[in-house]
Amino acid sequence: MQLARLAAEAQERGRPVRAGLIGAGKFGSMFLSQVPHIDGLEVTAIADLDPDLARTACRATGWDEARISATAFLDNGAALSAREDVDVVIEATGHPRAGIAHATHAINAGKHIIMVNVEADVLAGPALAAQARAAGVVYSMAYGDQPALVSEMVDWARATGFHVTAAGKGTKYLPEYHEATPDTVWNHYGLTAEEAARAGMKSQMFNSFLDGTKSAIEMVAIANACGLDVPDHGLSFPPCGVDDLAHVLRPRVCGGQLDRRGMVETVSSLERDGRPVFRDLRWGVYVVLEAPNDYAAACFAQYGLPTDSTGRFAAMYKPFHLIGLELSISVLSAALRGEPTGQSRIMSGTVASVAKRDLKAGEMLDGEGGYTVWGKALPVARAQDALPIGLAHGVAMTRDVAKGQVLSFADVDMADDDVTRLYRQSVSG
């Protein structure tokens, strides 16, 4: 990629890439820890609802006082986007509505936008990306997070002439996890609530990883960026290790578990009885390739790729992802190459809200990772008027909905505001 060289040359010219970070949580802090070690990259401003906590995060990640003093700390993301000393805005709040607003401010201010906020991307990514292209700036997924890493693997596969049969990631999953709440989440991680609190871990956020919502969000983001299909009835989370990816993630007509070619799916690191999967992919990402001809299939075997029994399907994978530690790749790529590291193009899928329990009229929904709903990946055509998980926060139920049912817009009291209109615009194409 030679990004390090390009960044070093920018430093030599006295024009380093200047980034502004919105949200100094875990992802943002991981990025901040790397910045002092990258020639040609500076963070000139950080916006957080609590600027003092952002300063504390900088100290915790190894920043010296001189660097902290040279950085502007704000409590307003829009104000950060307007600064003349910011070239690239990083949106890392995790809040869908805030993320869409911050991305819009950045684009209008002529700044590149790196969308760590996948929750916002699956609501309005294609529309925001189109706005950015019209403004002559880059809208990009965040490298280090699974959607961008998978998008890179899919692009590599297609650029080398392979058919992409499946793409996705691994996670820890059992069907009962869909009912998990912030009160029960730490049992599944082997922690007490007190231990999690001391580590600064937020129960609702971690519950989103457990109850299937985060996997749905990430798989929909990949589908929307890569033009892949979302499974008709949602993710099935088949138990699967790295040696079996090409066997399991091929079409049913070929002996696998996919509805058809070209789909996203998340594999589980646990068998359905709770036993660990052999050589699991819990922390990694994958792509399953199909050879376009017999010669390529023979090469799969000759060079040791794990294949299915036919030899026509093979898997490539990365066993780990480094999240915010890799985010500089996106920042430098946008500023120095004008290229995104993954970008939503179409709304292939959405993440529908499903009732975790019987919900009553008048109850308030608490969104991703909470007590009331979990997110299910669905094709846009099948989801119809389903309420997206990104809008299922702080809104009241207008009628009763039974446990396990997909909520619709008609089930909640929600105003038709800019964000809902942008979502409807995205899904309508």
Side-chain angles (χ1 to χ4, degrees):
M1 293 189 293
Q2 300 190 54
L3 279 176
R5 178 182 61 79
L6 293 176
E9 290 173 353
Q11 181 73 29
E12 293 170 2
R13 293 193 301 269
R15 293 293 303 275
V17 176
R18 302 168 300 177
L21 172 66
I22 306 176
K26 181 63 174 177
F27 203 115
S29 293
M30 294 177 79
F31 167 69
L32 294 173
S33 75
Q34 299 302 102
V35 170
H37 312 288
I38 303 172
D39 289 338
L41 175 61
E42 296 179 356
V43 171
T44 52
I46 301 174
D48 195 277
L49 294 176
D50 188 337
D52 286 337
L53 282 180
R55 291 186 181 90
T56 299
C58 289
R59 294 187 179 96
T61 59
W63 280 31
D64 58 33
E65 291 302 318
R67 185 178 293 272
I68 293 172
S69 297
T71 304
F73 291 87
L74 306 85
D75 62 3
N76 186 291
L80 180 144
S81 296
R83 292 179 63 92
E84 293 185 357
D85 61 351
V86 170
D87 305 312
V88 183
V89 174
I90 302 165
E91 214 300 331
T93 66
H95 298 285
R97 287 181 176 274
I100 290 170
H102 291 148
T104 302
H105 287 304
I107 292 167
N108 290 341
K111 310 298 173 66
H112 305 301
I113 177 73
I114 309 302
M115 187 61 91
V116 177
N117 192 334
V118 190
E119 292 81 358
D121 185 73
V122 297
L123 273 179
L128 293 171
Q131 291 175 14
R133 288 193 295 273
V137 297
V138 173
Y139 173 93
S140 176
M141 290 176 166
Y143 201 85
D145 215 359
Q146 291 102 323
L149 297 180
V150 174
S151 293
E152 179 184 54
M153 295 179 79
V154 169
D155 186 61
W156 164 84
R158 289 171 173 165
T160 49
F162 295 115
H163 304 304
V164 175
T165 299
K169 67 161 196 170
T171 195
K172 178 182 178 181
Y173 171 85
L174 289 173
E176 55 263 34
Y177 289 173
H178 291 309
E179 299 178 14
T181 72
D183 291 339
T184 64
V185 62
W186 299 126
N187 297 333
H188 299 290
Y189 285 98
L191 297 170
T192 66
E194 292 74 19
E195 289 170 336
R198 285 196 297 270
M201 301 165 70
K202 297 180 180 179
S203 60
Q204 186 156 346
M205 180 186 72
F206 274 81
N207 194 47
S208 172
F209 289 99
L210 186 71
D211 73 7
T213 300
K214 186 66 74 173
S215 291
I217 289 170
E218 291 171 342
M219 294 303 99
V220 166
I222 293 166
N224 292 349
C226 300
L228 296 171
D229 289 343
V230 176
D232 292 342
H233 302 288
L235 302 175
S236 60
F237 298 92
C240 183
V242 295
D243 300 317
D244 297 320
L245 289 167
H247 290 275
V248 174
L249 298 170
R250 54 181 175 164
R252 287 193 182 90
V253 296
C254 300
Q257 297 187 26
L258 299 182
D259 294 336
R260 53 191 173 275
R261 289 169 169 83
M263 307 202 75
V264 294
E265 184 59 88
T266 297
V267 296
S268 176
S269 63
L270 295 177
E271 301 287 355
R272 288 297 189 259
D273 61 5
R275 290 179 297 115
V277 165
F278 179 66
R279 283 173 43 84
D280 68 79
L281 194 65
R282 179 178 177 184
W283 307 109
V285 295
Y286 75 88
V287 62
V288 173
L289 323 167
E290 184 177 0
N293 51 54
D294 292 339
Y295 187 90
C299 291
F300 285 168
Q302 293 162 7
Y303 288 89
L305 270 72
T307 66
D308 74 327
S309 56
T310 71
R312 298 302 293 251
F313 295 92
M316 295 285 281
Y317 62 91
K318 295 180 69 170
F320 301 102
H321 66 294
L322 296 179
I323 319 175
L325 299 181
E326 301 180 77
L327 180 57
S328 57
I329 299 296
S330 293
V331 177
L332 297 174
S333 180
L336 300 176
R337 287 183 161 176
E339 294 181 355
T341 51
Q343 183 183 90
S344 295
R345 293 284 179 167
I346 60 169
M347 288 292 278
S348 177
T350 188
V351 184
S353 303
V354 180
K356 283 188 175 181
R357 54 174 173 78
D358 291 343
L359 299 174
K360 302 297 182 182
E363 281 195 75
M364 195 70 69
L365 299 182
D366 58 357
E368 178 186 351
Y371 296 86
T372 56
V373 291
W374 60 275
K376 181 176 184 176
L378 288 175
V380 165
R382 184 175 289 270
Q384 297 181 345
D385 203 39
L387 177 70
I389 193 73
L391 299 180
H393 186 273
V395 293
M397 298 290 297
T398 57
R399 56 192 181 193
D400 296 353
V401 173
K403 176 182 176 180
Q405 295 299 304
V406 174
L407 277 65
S408 72
F409 275 95
D411 295 323
V412 296
D413 182 14
M414 178 176 292
D416 186 21
D417 60 10
D418 289 344
V419 174
T420 58
R421 285 192 291 271
L422 195 59
Y423 171 73
R424 292 184 186 278
Q425 172 190 335
S426 298
V427 298
S428 65

